[in-house]
Amino acid sequence: MVSNGSTATTGEGTPRPAAVVVLAAGQGTRMKSATPKVLHRVGGRTMLGHAIAAGQELAPEHFAVVVRHERELVAAAALELEPAAIVAEQDEVPGTGRAVQCALDALDARTHAERAAALAHTDELHGADEAADHPLGDGIEGAVVVLASDVPLLDGATLGQLVAAHHADGNAVTILTTEVADATGYGRVVREPGTGDVLEIVEHKDASASQRDIREINGGVYVFDAAVLRRGLAGLSSDNAQGEVYLTDVVAFARSEGRPVRALLSDDPMLVEGVNDRVALATLGAEMNRRILAEWMREGVTVVDPATTWVDVDVELAPDVTLLPGTQLHGATTVATGATIGPDTTLTDVEVGAGATVVRTHGSASVVGAGASVGPFAYLRPGTRLGAKGKIGTFVETKNAEIGEGSKVPHLSYVGDATIGEHSNVGAASVTVNYDGVSKHRTVIGSYARTGADNMFVAPVTVGDGAYTAAGSVITRDVPPGALGVSRAQQKNVEGWVERRRPGTPAAEAAARAQAQPGGGLVLGAQAQLELGKHNALTGATPAVPGAPDSTDSSSDPATEGSTH
């Protein structure tokens, strides 16, 4: 923030406002929630976050947030979004007028402190006599923008138009208004016949029958001249039907001084629609999502089913991205051109590269490289980085894992706290055993490695470049580059076990029938016999004799067993 009195402008020469004041003191009892109303989320941001983001687009010289209910939580959230903000606490006096008065007092105090510091510096440079010629003044000067924190669709562009109109017309007060079919509960805007200037704003409970017929309502968004606001707030009272100090009474005060009060009429009532309960929260959330999707579709994104697709306000999409039904993109997710997301996919803070596909996947804080494929039914936990043209397949979970270009973890595996090089293949049902009950350890698998199915990699362990591991192995020691890692017990067949230990069971009966067949055991169907014949022809293996002892060469390469792709 720059000091008060800067001549900086915001948009087409409009001076920057002296301050933006966000009202966030309300309890929101109709939400029936332990969470403060303004911290409920719409489109991936809290409602307070939407208000602050809109105000920040004006680049104000000062920022203030008024708090009361759950002040610590709301203040912390505000300062996280706008660290330079003044947090002003509203006292027990109710009403928007009192809230703004508390904010203005805090803004004036900061302005006085800044001017006092500047005068002290002048005193050091030029002497006390020259410094005495510059009094502290009343406080902040210029335009003060006031908005509520429960109108999530209000945007910075609309605020910019309001500020521009305020300066162009030389107004004391400029109000954002709109027209609705049913104005029940809203403050009515009473205009002066002929000029169209605003005479007053009358709250619904205080309005006469004729005033209740007015359909133009107060949007609760204002630009005030700071001096007019200060004088007007000083004379406000709570002598009204609700016993509150109304900010809208400053309008009548400005008129009494002969100062112009005008309104900017918006043709979009949803911009100033507030949230008071969960029904309104859902309604405005759906409307915000509709607008977000419409904007992205106009930018070249295909959204197959907008009714089931949800995209947060901070998501970034490139042209020719395709979003399939059931897709939800949250947080700071980015999707590059040509990528396809969905169906039934939820990504939060995930970066998806060009041409990648992510199908039926849940992911967060991860990176998917260009041309890579993920899913279906994959789970990307934070720290996952899949290289270009890599693959994380069906029922695969990854966490804090670096998977290099062209490498594949196709199915039924867990890869956590691991690094996999380029163009390696991890067999099905593999697990990096990363936790010893106290600490996490890392598995490293090199490039061009091939690991068999049902492998356990007990970290810390390394499998070198070009190495193989046999199916069913528990790898507890490093496997050098180009080596074969094998760790398994020799198979033993206990003949007749089922007949002795499970007599009378369907299994025992099936075994007895099979043993009664010619050859004494193995019976293959026609299709199985055909496939076995093809295999034997390709490998040169001796055809197996049903029921004969195992004729497999015990020296066969175990690395050919159970490799999956």
Side-chain angles (χ1 to χ4, degrees):
M1 299 291 178
V2 299
S3 62
N4 189 35
S6 168
T7 58
T9 60
T10 173
E12 300 182 357
T14 301
R16 293 167 55 186
V20 167
V21 176
V22 176
L23 306 182
Q27 185 172 359
T29 55
R30 281 180 279 178
M31 297 294 288
K32 297 182 179 179
S33 175
T35 300
K37 180 176 78 168
V38 300
L39 299 187
H40 281 264
R41 291 185 173 271
V42 181
R45 283 185 194 158
T46 63
M47 289 191 284
L48 176 62
H50 283 291
I52 290 176
Q56 286 172 330
E57 290 191 38
L58 301 177
E61 298 170 27
H62 296 281
F63 214 107
V65 179
V66 183
V67 302
R68 179 168 173 78
H69 178 67
E70 294 288 354
R71 57 179 66 84
E72 294 83 4
L73 288 175
V74 178
L79 290 172
E80 183 178 357
L81 297 167
E82 179 52 70
I86 297 172
V87 176
E89 185 173 338
Q90 185 174 355
D91 55 24
E92 68 281 357
V93 179
T96 53
R98 182 56 181 169
V100 173
Q101 191 169 40
C102 293
L104 189 62
D105 288 345
L107 288 164
D108 286 345
R110 174 175 285 188
T111 301
H112 289 151
E114 291 173 350
R115 290 174 180 170
L119 289 174
H121 182 63
T122 301
D123 188 18
E124 292 177 1
L125 293 177
H126 305 291
D129 290 340
E130 183 172 340
D133 294 334
H134 303 280
L136 297 180
D138 292 331
I140 197 168
E141 298 174 357
V144 176
V145 179
V146 177
L147 63 149
S149 56
D150 62 354
V151 283
L153 288 175
L154 181 66
D155 56 19
T158 301
L159 289 179
Q161 294 173 8
L162 190 68
V163 172
H166 180 81
H167 285 284
D169 294 343
N171 296 336
V173 185
T174 309
I175 307 159
L176 183 64
T177 68
T178 192
E179 291 183 347
V180 294
D182 182 3
T184 302
Y186 293 99
R188 306 308 204 278
V189 177
V190 181
R191 290 183 179 261
E192 183 178 54
T195 67
D197 288 357
V198 177
L199 288 174
E200 60 178 334
I201 298 174
V202 182
E203 297 301 319
H204 180 84
K205 291 183 178 180
D206 300 309
S208 65
S210 61
Q211 289 171 336
R212 291 187 179 187
D213 289 336
I214 297 172
R215 292 292 167 258
E216 185 178 7
I217 63 169
N218 174 28
V221 184
Y222 315 86
V223 183
F224 295 97
D225 175 78
V228 173
L229 180 62
R230 188 178 295 109
R231 294 193 301 272
L233 290 173
L236 294 186
S237 73
S238 57
D239 185 17
N240 51 63
Q242 293 183 229
E244 297 182 2
V245 178
Y246 292 155
L247 179 61
T248 51
D249 287 345
V250 176
V251 171
F253 171 81
R255 291 285 305 188
S256 72
E257 287 194 333
R259 302 292 303 278
V261 178
R262 298 186 175 95
L264 181 66
L265 178 64
S266 171
D267 60 0
D268 185 357
M270 298 298 281
L271 286 180
V272 294
E273 184 73 21
V275 172
N276 289 315
D277 56 26
R278 310 282 183 130
V279 175
L281 186 72
T283 300
L284 290 182
E287 176 61 19
M288 179 178 292
N289 188 67
R290 186 193 67 77
R291 296 181 184 211
I292 290 170
L293 294 180
E295 181 178 346
W296 282 122
M297 286 188 280
R298 293 187 186 101
E299 294 296 322
V301 174
T302 295
V303 181
V304 174
D305 183 16
T308 63
T309 303
W310 292 80
V311 175
D312 283 355
V313 291
D314 292 322
V315 169
E316 291 292 333
L317 305 174
D320 288 324
V321 163
T322 299
L323 305 183
L324 298 177
T327 292
Q328 301 178 59
L329 302 180
H330 300 305
T333 294
T334 62
V335 184
T337 186
T340 299
I341 311 297
D344 306 323
T345 293
T346 300
L347 303 180
T348 303
D349 300 328
V350 173
E351 177 185 333
V352 180
T357 60
V358 184
V359 182
R360 288 192 169 89
T361 291
H362 190 102
S364 60
S366 299
V367 176
V368 177
S373 66
V374 178
F377 309 113
Y379 182 22
L380 309 183
R381 291 169 60 190
T384 296
R385 299 184 66 88
L386 176 62
K389 299 181 181 179
K391 179 180 179 64
I392 292 174
T394 308
F395 299 113
V396 173
E397 178 181 347
T398 58
K399 186 267 295 183
N400 194 22
E402 298 271 350
I403 301 171
E405 179 178 351
S407 287
K408 300 177 181 179
V409 186
H411 24 233
L412 301 163
S413 297
Y414 171 71
V415 179
D417 298 298
T419 299
I420 300 174
E422 298 178 352
H423 304 288
S424 290
N425 187 86
V426 176
S430 293
V431 174
T432 57
V433 186
N434 57 334
Y435 185 48
D436 63 8
V438 177
S439 302
K440 299 289 182 71
H441 302 281
R442 199 161 189 85
T443 296
V444 177
I445 298 174
S447 297
Y448 296 93
R450 298 290 183 268
T451 71
D454 196 24
N455 277 190
M456 301 288 115
F457 299 94
V458 183
V461 70
T462 297
V463 177
D465 291 352
Y468 279 58
T469 61
S473 293
V474 178
I475 304 300
T476 59
R477 295 183 297 169
D478 291 352
V479 180
L484 168 65
V486 185
S487 172
R488 65 160 78 123
Q490 185 176 1
Q491 179 176 329
K492 178 181 179 181
N493 295 334
V494 181
E495 297 289 342
W497 185 90
V498 173
E499 183 181 1
R500 294 192 302 274
R501 301 298 295 272
R502 300 290 187 269
T505 64
E509 294 170 358
R513 288 193 299 270
Q515 290 167 358
Q517 297 293 325
L522 183 63
V523 180
L524 298 178
Q527 182 63 34
Q529 292 182 38
L530 178 61
E531 294 298 329
L532 179 60
K534 291 180 180 178
H535 173 76
N536 290 336
L538 288 172
T539 62
T542 303
V545 178
D550 185 3
S551 60
T552 303
D553 182 357
S554 62
S555 65
S556 63
D557 185 355
T560 64
E561 303 171 22
S563 180
T564 59
H565 300 277

